[in-house]
């Protein structure tokens, strides 16, 4: 299947809504032959028939229905950008145009990439276009919206406040566009495309490997991309549609932009090397920890904050770590080769504990319980591949929860 054109998709949506080419041509202010060519081009790119041509009009096929749903979601994002531009229009400013200028995926891609890298030559190279073409694409969007999307600064091209809001919606529209071929293929029983997940530390050792291996065995044409960025970057990607879902320890969601679903509960434990002086103890007291070095997650992470609260509840100052890291490989190496202590989920170091390289120390820490689950964007319509991977995560979590 070829890439889907926003312009062809727009013509298709209008035909689907009005039930015929002739009526749609009037609404679109295009010749009937041009509208018919757009619909035919979309069908050709998706390699499927979207309409049944009948005397009483054009009726959507099953494939047409799934494409219509995505098309409506795409246009809802683009119309919200136009409406926002209209609300923010200053008196005497250039008039905000229709959404026609937004119906160009290359323009939206250029804006999204420039917001990420802040450097127009880099965007041009990534898109295989000239710098002039990228500049014209951004200018066309700005002219239509009546406001600048970017400001030139010493740090490169940075999005304005309005540009940041609108580009997030551009990215969501592009994500919906990417999912259309995947939706159509799933009607024929083929699950394909790329699933992009935000992988928080707790899910990386056992849960995700088991789920990914299972889904790829079932659906060999599926591709999975895992991102291990900081939490803030992952939620930004989830909000923009670049990430399908996040899996790991759940956090609060004060603005209601995300939907969280718990899979199971987990409790952090005190871990050290198997030959650690404390490893032979059958019982421990908090005073036994004094004098040992610590390696901990960075400040602000939920686990670190819970550990701080635990020590304060005991009337003690929290430990000052010698090393702060979110890298599991570094954590593992430090524990195995020193007398350092850490607090972590036993699942994250499952293999090292199973092979007696590391040991869980007999020290209970109330308040270090966490909920492990899935976070999605509110209102998101996941592609078939993402839903298939979620099914495998659900299955794997049932087995993991029993361990």
């Amino acid at each position: 299947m070829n890439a889907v054109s926003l312009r062809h998709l727009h013509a298709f949506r209008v035909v689907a809504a009005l039930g015929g080419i002739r009526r749609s041509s009037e609404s679109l202010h295009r010749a009937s032959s041009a509208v018919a060519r757009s619909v035919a081009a979309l069908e050709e790119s998706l390699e499927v028939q979207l309409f049944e041509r009948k005397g009483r009009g054009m009726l959507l096929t099953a494939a047409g229905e799934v494409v219509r749903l995505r098309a409506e979601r795409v246009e809802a994002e683009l119309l919200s950008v136009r409406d926002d531009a209209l609300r923010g229009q200053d008196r005497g400013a250039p008039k905000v145009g229709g959404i026609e200028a937004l119906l160009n995926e290359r323009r939206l891609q250029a804006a999204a990439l420039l917001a990420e890298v802040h450097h127009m030559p880099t965007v041009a190279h990534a898109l295989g276009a000239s710098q002039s073409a990228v500049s014209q694409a951004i200018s066309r969007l700005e002219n239509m919206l009546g406001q600048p999307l970017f400001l030139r600064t010493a740090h490169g091209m940075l999005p304005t406040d309005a540009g940041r809001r609108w580009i997030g919606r551009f990215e969501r529209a592009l994500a919906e566009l990417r999912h259309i071929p995947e939706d159509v293929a799933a009607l024929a029983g083929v699950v394909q495309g790329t699933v992009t997940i935000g992988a928080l530390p707790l899910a990386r050792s056992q849960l995700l490997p088991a789920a990914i291996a299972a889904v790829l065995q079932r659906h060999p044409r599926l591709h999975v991309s895992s991102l291990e960025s900081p939490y803030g970057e992952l939620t930004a990607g989830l909000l923009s549609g670049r990430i399908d879902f996040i899996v790991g320890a759940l956090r609060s969601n004060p603005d209601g932009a995300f939907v969280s679903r718990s899979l199971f509960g987990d409790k952090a434990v005190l871990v050290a090397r198997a030959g650690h002086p404390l490893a032979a103890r059958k019982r421990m007291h908090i005073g036994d920890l004094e004098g040992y070095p610590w390696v901990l997650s960075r400040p602000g992470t939920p686990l670190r904050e819970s550990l701080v609260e635990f020590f304060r509840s005991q009337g003690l100052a929290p430990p000052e770590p010698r090393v702060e890291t979110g890298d599991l490989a570094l954590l593992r190496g430090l524990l195995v080769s020193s007398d350092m202590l850490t607090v972590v989920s036993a699942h994250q170091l499952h293999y090292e504990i199973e092979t007696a390289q590391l040991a869980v120390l007999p020290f209970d820490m109330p308040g270090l319980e966490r909920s492990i689950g899935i976070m999605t964007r509110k209102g998101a319509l996941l592609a078939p591949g993402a839903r298939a991977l979620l099914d495998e995560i659900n299955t794997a979590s049932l087995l993991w929860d029993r361990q």
Side-chain angles (χ1 to χ4, degrees):
M1 294 185 186
N2 298 318
V4 176
S5 159
L6 275 173
R7 188 171 176 81
H8 295 334
L9 188 67
H10 177 63
F12 158 81
R13 189 201 63 77
V14 175
V15 173
L18 299 180
I21 296 291
R22 182 176 300 175
R23 280 168 286 180
S24 302
S25 69
E26 296 172 359
S27 175
L28 292 166
H29 305 293
R30 296 172 63 191
S32 294
S33 58
V35 176
R37 284 196 299 271
S38 281
V39 172
L42 181 60
E43 290 180 320
E44 183 179 355
S45 68
L46 294 173
E47 301 173 4
V48 70
Q49 185 176 339
L50 301 175
F51 291 103
E52 293 180 12
R53 278 76 171 174
K54 296 185 177 294
R56 62 182 183 275
M58 299 177 68
L59 302 179
L60 288 169
T61 62
E65 289 288 357
V66 299
V67 174
R68 178 191 59 79
L69 180 57
R70 290 288 181 191
E72 290 177 349
R73 293 172 66 86
V74 167
E75 296 211 12
E77 296 289 356
L78 300 183
L79 285 170
S80 70
V81 170
R82 181 178 181 272
D83 292 344
D84 193 16
L86 285 169
R87 287 191 295 270
Q89 188 174 30
D90 293 329
R91 181 175 297 178
K95 186 177 180 181
V96 174
I99 69 166
E100 289 75 17
L102 303 182
L103 298 174
N104 184 305
E105 56 277 9
R106 295 282 284 180
R107 288 175 190 155
L108 305 191
Q109 289 165 355
L113 192 53
L114 186 57
E116 181 180 353
V117 302
H118 316 307
H119 188 238
M120 200 168 287
T122 301
V123 175
H125 178 74
L127 295 178
S130 67
Q131 188 173 336
S132 173
V134 173
S135 179
Q136 289 174 10
I138 300 300
S139 294
R140 185 72 181 88
L141 293 173
E142 291 178 328
N143 290 339
M144 175 261 158
L145 293 168
Q147 294 183 46
L149 293 173
F150 294 92
L151 297 175
R152 291 185 179 274
T153 74
H155 302 288
M157 300 284 287
L158 299 182
T160 63
D161 289 342
R164 193 174 295 108
R165 292 196 308 274
W166 297 340
I167 289 167
R169 291 195 175 275
F170 292 167
E171 290 182 303
R172 289 204 288 272
L174 290 169
E176 300 287 352
L177 202 65
R178 287 195 304 271
H179 292 328
I180 289 175
E182 301 166 21
D183 291 342
V184 171
L187 292 175
V190 178
V191 177
Q192 62 182 33
T194 298
V195 183
T196 303
I197 54 177
L200 294 173
L202 193 67
R204 297 176 197 161
S205 297
Q206 289 180 274
L207 180 62
L208 275 177
I212 291 172
V215 79
L216 294 182
Q217 186 173 21
R218 289 177 180 270
H219 306 292
R221 295 181 62 174
L222 195 62
H223 178 79
V224 177
S225 177
S226 171
L227 301 181
E228 294 78 32
S229 305
Y231 181 77
E233 293 181 20
L234 293 181
T235 53
L238 185 61
L239 195 60
S240 70
R242 295 191 305 272
I243 293 175
D244 293 301
F245 58 85
I246 296 173
V247 57
L250 298 178
R251 304 192 189 188
S252 62
N253 175 27
D255 60 2
F258 307 112
V259 177
S260 297
R261 178 170 60 85
S262 178
L263 296 171
F264 55 88
D266 181 69
K267 184 174 181 179
V269 292
L270 186 65
V271 177
R273 66 181 177 89
H276 193 282
L278 297 176
R281 301 280 187 95
K282 292 187 177 180
R283 295 186 63 185
M284 285 177 53
H285 301 283
I286 197 165
D288 297 331
L289 307 178
E290 188 174 351
Y292 288 104
W294 289 77
V295 50
L296 295 173
S297 56
R298 296 183 182 90
T301 59
L303 182 56
R304 179 72 177 272
E305 294 301 308
S306 296
L307 182 66
V308 168
E309 287 302 315
F310 167 74
F311 272 87
R312 286 176 176 165
S313 71
Q314 303 298 309
L316 298 173
E320 291 290 338
R322 300 282 292 277
V323 179
E324 294 177 337
T325 181
D327 186 281
L328 191 59
L330 178 58
L331 174 67
R332 182 188 302 116
L334 288 169
L335 291 174
V336 169
S337 59
S338 74
D339 282 343
M340 283 188 167
L341 301 173
T342 196
V343 173
V344 69
S345 167
H347 291 296
Q348 288 181 264
L349 298 172
H350 169 78
Y351 299 106
E352 290 76 11
I353 294 170
E354 283 287 299
T355 56
Q357 297 175 67
L358 299 176
V360 175
L361 303 183
F363 183 67
D364 187 42
M365 293 175 289
L368 270 69
E369 298 82 9
R370 294 176 292 175
S371 182
I372 311 307
I374 301 292
M375 181 185 292
T376 56
R377 176 171 54 86
K378 187 176 182 179
L381 178 62
L382 294 178
R387 295 198 299 270
L389 180 53
L390 279 180
D391 287 342
E392 296 297 343
I393 290 174
N394 288 335
T395 300
S397 69
L398 293 175
L399 298 174
W400 202 21
D401 195 23
R402 297 190 192 110
Q403 294 179 10

